[in-house]
Amino acid sequence: MSILDVAIIGGGPGGLACARRAMLKGLSCVVLEKGRHILQGIRDTYPKGKSVYPTVPKGAEDDYIISELRPEGEKEDLESYLCRIEAFVAEAGIPVRLGEEFLSLAKDRDGFTVTTSHGTVQARNVVLAFGSNIPVELGVYGEAKTVARSLENPEDFLGTPSLVLGGGSTAADIVAVLSRFKRDRGDETPVYWGHRRTTMRVQKDVARDMGEEILLGGNIKILHNAVPKLGEVDEEGIERLVIQTQRMALDGGVYLLQSLSFPMKNVIACIGSQGPAPVFRKLGLQMITCTEGICKIGKEGSELILLNHSLETSAKGVYAIGGAVSPVYMGVPEEGTITEQRHPNIIYVAVRDGVAVADEIAVECAACKE
């Protein structure tokens, strides 16, 4: 079996950018994607009809290093973006193997053996570009497994009030898209947008879309302090999710609760995803647990992967990029102490990561051959 210079786990923007740059540097590579398509993570998390934005982080000096991966214009229709990137991958000849789920990684004499659902791949370097798509559980008593995690078919929500849970950009996207879909078809049933807190945190582009939809008459009802409490089956056999919206204290330790109950088939939960800490732990990669005084960005108790300035993990030759290390990781500078590094989960950052890691691997490979 021939040994590749780099095996890339994940066919998202970061993985594709890494492969393209590696090829331009004369390196042999392969992209292993567990989904049926490239950009499977975007397909799974972006609602139909969403626009894809070429958002660039504040302070970034360069535009997209690989321009083909940049969404066109101020925003690009999701379906258009997916088709265009598929054409780019085919034209560039980027070697992608679809339907191969990453299972394990083992160090060997010449590098690493990557085991997938279809066999093994040997490579001198490995790039973990599999994103962060392990959904957070609702944490309610009873069953709530039938709650959707994305908007696959807006028509399923026509003619009935719908609930979208989550205070981030993904939830806001779905609320705006679903409201527009209903409004275009004359459906006056509301889209409820619920979040545990009183403040929604969304990207500027998403907030703009939401504002436009509200101004155009979208029937959006916002529920602050909305907490999922119970998954139940009613007397008619319908699975429901109960959302507590208000709690008022009465005398004697008694509380008056105000709640809403939605059929679970009308609920979409966008309450975030867990970082791939279990995968990193299984691979034996060093992580740091956030505690008070150590983390200001990461949540207390969360485990953050440790990366050096080249995005290399504690295992030499293994790198982690893009959504896999977002929204924050622990950075090891060349000099100084370990600090949190904010890492936005956007296309631009994933592409930048992929290019930077490919350049680093090219330098390392050149040094080994000398």
Side-chain angles (χ1 to χ4, degrees), residues 146-148 157 163-165 241 262-269:
T146 58
V147 171
F157 297 86
L163 171 66
V164 179
L165 291 172
L241 185 67
F262 292 84
M264 288 187 191
K265 63 184 181 65
N266 298 341
V267 179
I268 301 174

Side-chain angles (χ1 to χ4, degrees), residues 280 285-286 304-314 318-322 324-325 328-333 338-339 341 343 353:
F280 292 148
L285 304 179
Q286 188 173 354
L304 303 182
I305 187 72
L306 192 67
L307 303 176
N308 68 13
H309 65 283
S310 300
L311 300 179
E312 188 175 32
T313 69
S314 56
V318 179
Y319 301 79
I321 67 172
V325 295
V328 60
Y329 66 88
M330 285 294 185
V332 184
I338 297 173
T339 58
Q341 301 293 320
H343 194 260
D353 288 355

Side-chain angles (χ1 to χ4, degrees), residues 33-34 38 49 73 88 94 96 121 125 143 146 180 191 213 242 263-264 289 308 313 317 326:
E33 167 57 51
K34 71 176 181 179
I38 59 170
F88 162 65
I94 297 175
V96 180
V121 174
N125 300 274
E143 290 293 320
T146 58
R180 182 167 63 248
V191 178
E213 175 55 25
V242 177
M264 288 187 191
T289 301
N308 68 13
T313 69
S326 295

Side-chain angles (χ1 to χ4, degrees), residues 56-213:
V56 176
K58 185 177 180 180
E61 298 180 357
D62 301 317
D63 201 349
Y64 280 69
I65 302 175
I66 298 180
S67 59
E68 292 88 347
L69 293 172
R70 182 190 190 280
E72 292 184 337
E74 293 185 0
K75 61 181 180 179
E76 184 175 5
D77 177 76
L78 174 62
E79 285 69 30
S80 170
Y81 181 71
L82 295 175
C83 289
R84 188 168 57 78
I85 301 306
E86 284 186 336
F88 162 65
V89 169
E91 182 179 351
I94 297 175
V96 180
R97 287 161 50 171
L98 299 173
E100 288 211 37
E101 183 177 1
F102 170 63
L103 299 178
S104 64
L105 177 66
K107 185 80 174 74
D108 56 35
R109 186 182 63 181
D110 298 315
F112 300 91
T113 297
V114 179
T115 301
T116 74
S117 55
H118 287 190
T120 60
V121 174
Q122 287 189 293
R124 296 182 179 86
N125 300 274
V126 176
V127 178
L128 305 176
F130 41 60
S132 174
N133 55 6
I134 304 172
V136 173
E137 294 298 324
L138 280 171
V140 301
Y141 177 79
E143 290 293 320
K145 295 180 179 179
T146 58
V147 171
R149 296 290 180 163
S150 63
L151 180 62
E152 296 184 2
N153 187 6
E155 292 185 357
D156 293 340
F157 297 86
L158 286 176
T160 182
S162 311
L163 171 66
V164 179
L165 291 172
S169 295
T170 299
D173 266 333
I174 290 179
V175 170
V177 169
L178 186 54
S179 175
R180 182 167 63 248
F181 186 85
K182 288 189 173 193
R183 180 169 52 81
D184 288 345
R185 285 152 183 78
D187 181 359
E188 297 182 358
T189 59
V191 178
Y192 288 87
W193 182 17
H195 184 39
R196 288 177 176 268
R197 299 184 178 87
T198 57
T199 303
M200 315 294 195
R201 297 182 178 180
V202 301
Q203 297 172 0
K204 288 183 179 180
D205 296 328
V206 178
R208 182 181 61 199
D209 286 352
M210 175 67 73
E212 290 178 356
E213 175 55 25

